Amino acid sequence: MQFNPEKCRIEDVPMKPFIDQDEIWDLINNTPSSKELVQRVIQKSLNKERLTMAEVAVLINADSPELIEEIKAGARELKERVYGNRIVLFAPLYVGNKCANNCTYCGFRSTNKEAVRKTLDKSELIKEVEALEDNGQKRLILVYGEHRDYSPEYIAESVRTVYGVKKGQGEIRRVNINAAPMEIEGYKIVKEAGIGTYQIFQETYHPEEYKKYHLAGQKADFDYRLTGLDRAQEAGVDDVGIGSLFGLYDWRFEVIGLVRHTNHLEACYNVGPHTISFPRITDAAGTNLTGEYFVSDKDFTRLVAILRLAVPYTGLILTAREPEHIRREVMRFGVSQIDGGTKIELGAYADSVNEDQNLNKEQFTINDNRSLGEVIEELLEDGYLPSFCTACYRNGRTGEHFMEFSVPGFIKKFCSPNAMLTLAEYLEDYAKPHIAKKGWDVIQKNIDKLKETAEPRVIEMLDDRLEQIRKGKRDLYF
Ligand code: SAM
Ligand code: SF4
């Protein structure tokens, strides 16, 4: 789609083409920050309003340890208010790593002649999904290189295959996609297969820096990628995810770029992105990046807190690229989804013999190799409520409707009970006994907490459904 300023307006002012690097740098260089300004901006966010780019710049320019702590505390409070203590779990599933592009940071790039290229055939894909179901997974993100073999029809077919695999009590209830941008017709084809979110990461929002990292193939075209989710929206895919690969360029620029992309989507389609991802670059086969823009742990934890405050209603996704201790820390600032039991080598879920990472078979290094059970155990111990909920998507609560999130009581009525129901299924079907015990204790604690505010009818229905799950019934949700 061509950018259409007539259609895309914020408060009746037509938007400029949406990434203007001078505008972003001007905000970073010239926006003052102070304790008073930071507190005002945090308050706006706690009132559940999305921040403007200038307000985000106030947070970015708050450099002192005291103000950074204040921002992190604000993010923690917002997370509690909007998302409660749920953490949604998913797993990535790499379907094919052929790639015509040459992204210098990625092990799948076309010039990596050492890469072991593989596309799962149907029976291999089924085996992977069976192994994931055996672990208790219910939500997947399918990942593809960018190659003519991975046409919209091929992607749609693989999504259908995944939904069709039912092993024991297992089934995949939501399939998200991370693949190359398409034409409008292509998105319509994948939408038909019942996808959840379509994710495209812009990698860097800086057009010139972008060119340095994307040397060949379709992905070398910055604008085509930037408008990829506009075409998705035009095709009716109203559930989209954006992201930036931190470490390619100045993190402050990327944070404002993500906010810019968000307000562009809101202005044009009345709905912002469902999720924002903020992967930090990790080692990949044969990559030789200078590290000029590598983001330190200190800045990374800070930027997650800023993103949380910037876009109160958007899910934040944190992956196993990050090590355990960083995952644990930034989860407190408002991450809403994490992966667990992640393997990114093609075919690795079904092939339990080969546990070591081989970078020529993988896109990059992961730093959290724990099983799903171990991740869940830690979440339970830390007071979170692990969730495999897919109810909104299956009840059509996506796109503009997802803004129902702002309806008072939505979390109490839907999200928390559904988290408990899906956790209960996991505990009954897949958890080791000691984890099941911890899990049921956490469910009971959450019911007690919910009783303080939810209508008694909701609690009755929840108790009833939990009892049904204990008796073997599955897939109950509000
Ligand atoms: N090939 C498609 C693409 O590039 O959009 C889809 C998936 S790609 C496999 C998923 C994401 O992984 C990329 O968008 C990029 O942000 C991230 N990625 C690539 N190389 C990485 C690295 N070395 N470290 C961390 N993340 C990386
Ligand atoms: Fe291909 Fe995606 Fe890797 Fe780029 S990031 S080389 S498009 S798989």
Side-chain angles (χ1 to χ4, degrees), residues 266-282:
E266 280 179 8
C268 297
Y269 309 103
N270 290 325
V271 55
H274 182 177
T275 56
I276 295 184
S277 300
F278 36 88
R280 220 172 10 159
I281 204 156
T282 68

Side-chain angles (χ1 to χ4, degrees), residues 99 101-103 105-106 108-109 144-146 203 219 363:
C99 197
N101 293 333
N102 184 6
C103 312
Y105 46 79
C106 175
F108 293 167
R109 68 195 179 283
Y144 307 78
E146 185 160 347
E203 319 301 8
K219 197 165 165 181
Q363 194 187 11

Side-chain angles (χ1 to χ4, degrees), residues 174-423:
R174 179 175 174 125
V175 176
N176 299 330
I177 301 287
N178 187 320
M182 299 182 172
E183 293 295 321
I184 292 174
E185 284 312 309
Y187 289 112
K188 287 185 181 162
I189 292 167
V190 293
K191 182 181 160 65
E192 274 291 293
I195 58 164
T197 309
Y198 200 102
Q199 279 187 353
I200 301 173
F201 302 161
Q202 187 57 30
E203 319 301 8
T204 170
Y205 282 94
H206 193 283
E208 277 124 49
E209 292 293 321
Y210 184 94
K211 281 189 201 137
K212 295 184 190 164
Y213 296 106
H214 302 98
L215 305 179
Q218 177 71 270
K219 197 165 165 181
D221 185 341
F222 177 88
D223 288 332
Y224 186 77
R225 194 166 178 90
L226 190 62
T227 52
L229 293 174
D230 292 73
R231 291 189 296 281
Q233 290 281 0
E234 294 289 315
V237 176
D238 59 5
D239 185 331
V240 300
I242 63 174
S244 168
L245 182 56
F246 280 89
L248 297 183
Y249 190 52
D250 194 304
W251 66 266
R252 301 170 301 168
F253 188 96
E254 306 299 10
V255 167
I256 299 191
L258 287 165
V259 174
R260 185 57 160 161
H261 203 163
T262 299
N263 65 31
H264 166 77
L265 292 170
E266 280 179 8
C268 297
Y269 309 103
N270 290 325
V271 55
H274 182 177
T275 56
I276 295 184
S277 300
F278 36 88
R280 220 172 10 159
I281 204 156
T282 68
D283 282 348
T287 53
N288 193 10
L289 298 174
T290 59
E292 183 185 352
Y293 295 114
F294 278 175
V295 181
S296 66
D297 289 352
K298 198 166 145 251
D299 285 339
F300 185 70
T301 53
R302 181 176 163 201
L303 80 83
V304 178
I306 293 175
L307 275 176
R308 172 68 298 147
L309 291 167
V311 282
Y313 286 115
T314 302
L316 295 185
I317 301 183
L318 177 72
T319 69
R321 292 173 181 87
E322 296 300 331
E324 277 174 56
H325 69 283
I326 295 290
R327 300 238 282 178
R328 205 171 191 177
E329 179 174 359
V330 297
M331 248 180 310
R332 291 159 51 229
F333 308 146
V335 166
S336 47
Q337 295 188 26
I338 64 168
D339 53 348
T342 293
K343 295 186 182 176
I344 59 173
E345 187 175 318
L346 281 110
Y349 290 113
D351 172 14
S352 54
V353 182
N354 182 8
E355 292 286 336
D356 294 332
Q357 278 197 272
N358 172 350
L359 277 186
N360 277 321
K361 292 186 178 171
E362 295 174 10
Q363 194 187 11
F364 48 77
T365 317
I366 55 170
N367 290 307
D368 183 352
N369 290 295
R370 288 174 300 167
S371 67
L372 179 62
E374 288 168 320
V375 170
I376 287 184
E377 187 173 8
E378 184 186 89
L379 290 175
L380 293 169
E381 281 169 1
D382 287 353
Y384 293 106
L385 181 59
S387 172
F388 294 92
C389 179
T390 54
C392 278
Y393 146 77
R394 292 161 84 212
N395 278 332
R397 293 193 295 251
T398 62
E400 242 178 292
H401 301 288
F402 206 71
M403 293 297 178
E404 288 174 18
F405 235 125
S406 55
V407 173
F410 190 89
I411 304 253
K412 269 177 237 148
K413 240 166 122 179
F414 297 107
C415 308
S416 300
N418 284 334
M420 292 184 230
L421 295 175
T422 53
L423 175 60

Side-chain angles (χ1 to χ4, degrees), residues 427-438:
L427 300 176
E428 288 293 295
D429 296 337
Y430 304 103
K432 292 187 176 151
H434 74 284
I435 298 181
K437 179 167 180 339
K438 284 183 195 171

